Amino acid sequence: MEIKLYEGLMLLALNDEKGTNEGHYIEYTGAAAILAELLLSQRIQVNKDNKDKVDVLDDSPTGDPIMDEALDKMANKKKPDTLKNWVMALAQISKLKHKIAEQLVADGIIKADEKKVLWLFTQKIYPEVNPEPEKHLKREMRRLVLDKPLEIHPKIALMVALAKSAYVLDQVFSKEELKKHKQLIEQIAKGEELGTIATDVIDGVQAAVMVATMMPAMMAAVTASTTACTTTTTSC
């Protein structure tokens, strides 16, 4: 069973036993992963001649509800937008994390459950019931970094880049491995090892990942600024 990039990201972010999300800002990295899938499937492309705006090449149904929702939003926008703005827009898709999780539930990889928090609130959790897809993903990611194969699977390389931006690489590698192979991981994350993929796809995916990485810091800065304005008499 081949899972999508954003599904793999969700599997790495979920605690296998507790079913809780332990990834950082998974909405943004998830949005980057959706865009990566659309780029790889040649449904969209980055138009270098039009200020890096994204063009929709094919908006016919993909058979994947999440990709179709994203593609529909992009196809129905009056004017083309940049990849950066699409990462932010797709990250705002209602209940994106749960929609991704529900697809994994439908495939029998995880199950949907609920738990009480502080005896008052109910939290959705997604414990793993079929560990094989995640195990396979981790094996391939480890093989790429530790064995350095001559032939690189594009999606696995992109998975390393996305996992790095979501801070879930520690679910795949030990601290010692991450330290020892830091340079190679950086090269993979920058697309330097993806010679088999068209340059525009590499650039597009990396731009999406960069935005996904930057957004949390940008949001934190805005929040801090807003807080400062409300706690002082200085006008902002």
Side-chain angles (χ1 to χ4, degrees):
M1 178 189 299
E2 183 176 351
I3 58 176
K4 301 291 193 304
L5 288 167
Y6 49 88
E7 293 174 327
L9 195 65
M10 179 61 73
L11 283 178
L12 294 179
L14 287 173
N15 182 292
D16 295 345
E17 296 179 359
K18 296 178 181 178
T20 51
N21 182 3
E22 299 184 358
H24 292 260
Y25 302 98
I26 199 70
E27 294 90 349
Y28 293 100
T29 46
I34 293 169
L35 289 165
E37 285 285 355
L38 292 172
L39 283 163
L40 287 171
S41 60
Q42 298 183 328
R43 293 306 189 103
I44 62 174
Q45 71 175 9
V46 180
N47 191 332
K48 297 297 181 182
D49 297 326
N50 187 23
K51 300 179 181 178
D52 289 338
K53 298 293 178 65
V54 176
D55 294 329
V56 175
L57 302 177
D58 180 3
D59 64 350
S60 61
T62 66
D64 180 287
I66 291 174
M67 287 176 65
D68 286 344
E69 183 174 355
L71 198 56
D72 184 65
K73 287 180 179 293
M74 300 176 84
N76 286 297
K77 189 173 176 64
K78 292 183 178 180
K79 294 183 180 180
D81 214 336
T82 63
L83 207 60
K84 171 184 176 181
N85 288 339
W86 277 120
V87 169
M88 292 186 285
L90 297 184
Q92 303 306 316
I93 289 177
S94 177
K95 299 181 180 179
L96 179 59
K97 291 187 294 186
H98 295 291
K99 286 180 178 179
I100 296 174
E102 287 299 333
Q103 285 195 186
L104 292 167
V105 170
D107 287 335
I109 299 173
I110 59 178
K111 68 176 181 178
D113 208 341
E114 293 183 345
K115 75 169 186 176
K116 288 289 186 180
V117 180
L118 299 176
W119 297 282
L120 295 173
F121 307 103
T122 301
Q123 178 186 6
K124 279 192 174 183
I125 58 174
Y126 300 96
E128 196 168 53
V129 292
N130 177 10
E132 287 309 311
E134 185 178 8
K135 284 182 178 180
H136 175 73
L137 177 62
K138 288 181 177 181
R139 279 197 302 269
E140 291 301 304
M141 291 172 72
R142 288 181 62 80
R143 190 173 74 88
L144 173 60
V145 173
L146 305 182
D147 298 343
K148 304 174 186 176
L150 293 176
E151 185 176 347
I152 295 176
H153 193 297
K155 279 197 172 184
I156 299 302
L158 293 174
M159 196 68 247
V160 171
L162 290 162
K164 180 177 182 295
S165 68
Y167 299 95
V168 292
L169 277 180
D170 60 352
Q171 301 298 312
V172 185
F173 304 98
S174 67
K175 288 183 179 180
E176 292 74 18
E177 289 170 337
L178 288 172
K179 184 177 180 180
K180 181 178 179 180
H181 300 282
K182 181 179 179 180
Q183 184 176 353
L184 177 58
I185 290 172
E186 290 288 349
Q187 289 174 341
I188 293 171
K190 292 177 182 177
E192 295 176 11
E193 303 295 321
L194 300 179
T196 57
I197 307 180
T199 303
D200 59 340
V201 175
I202 296 173
D203 291 345
V205 171
Q206 291 311 311
V209 171
M210 185 180 298
V211 174
T213 305
M214 290 170 56
M215 279 307 300
M218 292 167 62
M219 290 176 65
V222 170
T223 302
S225 176
T226 303
T227 303
C229 288
T230 58
T231 55
T232 66
T233 57
T234 305
S235 59
C236 298

